Amino acid sequence: MKFIKIISLLFVFLVSVNSTAQQTPHYTQYMYNMSIINPAYAGARADVSAGLLGRKQWVGIDGAPETQTFSLNVRAFDGIGLGVSVIRDKIGLISSTDFNADISYTVVISSQSRLALGVKGGFTNFTNNLSQGITPDNDVNPDITGIYPNVGMGAFYYNTHFYAGVSVPQLFKTPKYKLDNNQYAAGLNDHMNYFATAGYVFDINEKVKFKPSTLIKIASGLPLSVDINANVLYDNLLEFGLSYRYNDSVSGMIGIQLYDKFRLGYSYDHTLTGLGNFNDGSHEIMLLFDLDLEKRGRWLNDSSCYF
């Protein structure tokens, strides 16, 4: 147990070396969880859309990341989408909970295409349980708790068969990876996480659709993260596919549509790096709820994109 605590605290030190280059949580089923990273997505999917997601990464490694998310977004009135999200993230001795509100505005580009612009704002409550860690020199570090603000922005374009989005979900610096409150100075993040997403739906026949997609994440001081996905949707009921994260992992995923309003999804990631020898993979489960009240306003009156 002492060895595990030493490794956990060393992990915190490694993360804090480039503290402003912090990673946002990884999601394998990001295409159905995009409101978390892109506020412009609010209102794009349905009149009322809610989602729950739980992710346990690198099973078998003590202190490995664990993430739970809740999101809800609605079409409030003509062209305005509103959303809220809660993200609980735990890694090593660090735990945090993000609370954010989103607002988007949808512009009509043509009869079959839309462009949405969005902003998010909120705060993060974090706790660094450093007193629970043990260093090789048996140093004792005090716990650090705090709250800091967050602002993000994004754009999202979509039509009946294609979507593309760009976003920066966290514009401000975060102190949650610091070992000393005096190390933190509020301001714009010098090493922001930039996201780009895109996907297309190919109609193979009346029942089969092929859905390739990608997510690219850029963060200064960290390796480029690229996800490439290939999913197949059968009869609007069953979806399955494979995903590859560059120099990191391969994943399998499956989704089932239940009663037209619910979607249950599961994914499993196998790590390709040397870390894969010490864990049993990563698991992610998701439940989506969509309610169509037929009050679309400016939104696209077509759900065939299936993002």
Side-chain angles (χ1 to χ4, degrees):
M1 183 61 69
K2 183 176 180 180
F3 173 75
I4 291 174
K5 289 187 176 181
I6 291 174
I7 294 301
S8 296
L9 190 57
L10 285 175
F11 182 71
V12 174
F13 272 95
L14 288 173
V15 172
S16 67
V17 169
N18 259 328
S19 59
T20 53
Q22 67 274 1
Q23 286 269 29
T24 54
H26 269 309
Y27 303 106
T28 298
Q29 301 173 88
Y30 65 83
M31 67 289 292
Y32 292 105
N33 198 40
M34 283 196 288
S35 62
I36 297 296
I37 62 174
N38 192 340
Y41 187 77
R45 183 175 173 86
D47 292 310
V48 179
S49 183
L52 288 169
L53 181 144
R55 179 177 177 84
K56 190 172 180 61
Q57 193 162 324
W58 304 331
V59 173
I61 295 181
D62 189 68
E66 296 182 25
T67 305
Q68 297 86 39
T69 72
F70 166 76
S71 62
L72 171 69
N73 62 86
V74 299
R75 294 169 174 173
F77 48 91
D78 200 24
I80 301 295
L82 300 175
V84 293
S85 63
V86 180
I87 306 171
R88 183 183 180 278
D89 197 35
K90 189 175 188 303
I91 178 170
L93 304 177
I94 301 172
S95 60
S96 63
T97 304
D98 298 356
F99 301 89
N100 286 294
D102 301 333
I103 183 170
S104 69
Y105 181 72
T106 296
V107 179
V108 177
I109 302 300
S110 71
S111 61
Q112 295 297 317
S113 61
R114 300 291 186 269
L115 173 65
L117 305 174
V119 294
K120 72 165 61 252
F123 64 92
T124 297
N125 184 2
F126 74 95
T127 300
N128 293 355
N129 298 299
L130 302 181
S131 63
Q132 299 179 18
I134 302 174
T135 69
D137 297 326
N138 291 320
D139 295 330
V140 178
N141 292 275
D143 292 341
I144 299 175
T145 62
I147 296 176
Y148 64 92
N150 176 52
V151 173
M153 59 184 181
F156 186 70
Y157 170 85
Y158 63 102
N159 58 35
T160 57
H161 282 78
F162 172 76
Y163 70 82
V166 292
S167 62
V168 185
Q170 187 168 325
L171 291 174
F172 292 162
K173 293 179 180 179
T174 168
K176 72 177 181 179
Y177 295 119
K178 298 290 189 179
L179 301 177
D180 184 344
N181 275 330
N182 295 328
Q183 296 177 359
Y184 174 65
L188 288 177
N189 193 348
D190 297 324
H191 304 276
M192 300 177 189
N193 284 196
Y194 299 92
F195 288 84
T197 58
Y200 197 91
V201 178
F202 294 92
D203 295 318
I204 305 303
N205 55 44
E206 291 183 357
K207 288 193 173 184
V208 178
K209 300 180 186 294
F210 177 54
K211 301 170 52 182
S213 63
T214 187
L215 179 146
I216 300 171
K217 180 165 63 173
I218 301 172
S220 177
L222 294 171
L224 177 69
S225 177
V226 180
D227 285 37
I228 300 174
N229 304 276
N231 287 14
V232 174
L233 177 65
Y234 176 76
D235 203 20
N236 293 341
L237 294 175
L238 177 64
E239 183 173 345
F240 52 91
L242 296 174
S243 178
Y244 170 70
R245 181 169 293 146
Y246 177 68
N247 279 347
D248 184 88
S249 61
V250 292
S251 308
M253 65 184 74
I254 186 169
I256 301 174
Q257 193 72 28
L258 305 171
Y259 306 111
D260 295 329
K261 295 180 176 63
F262 295 91
R263 185 184 193 278
L264 181 64
Y266 168 78
S267 67
Y268 172 79
D269 303 356
H270 173 71
T271 307
L272 297 177
T273 65
L275 192 61
N277 298 323
F278 303 96
N279 74 85
D280 298 321
S282 303
H283 301 266
E284 187 177 288
I285 189 167
M286 177 188 64
L287 178 64
L288 292 180
F289 170 76
D290 292 324
L291 180 62
D292 189 351
L293 302 174
E294 298 183 356
K295 296 180 180 180
R296 299 182 184 275
R298 284 177 173 263
W299 289 277
L300 188 63
N301 189 21
D302 194 306
S303 61
S304 63
C305 194
Y306 295 103
F307 46 75

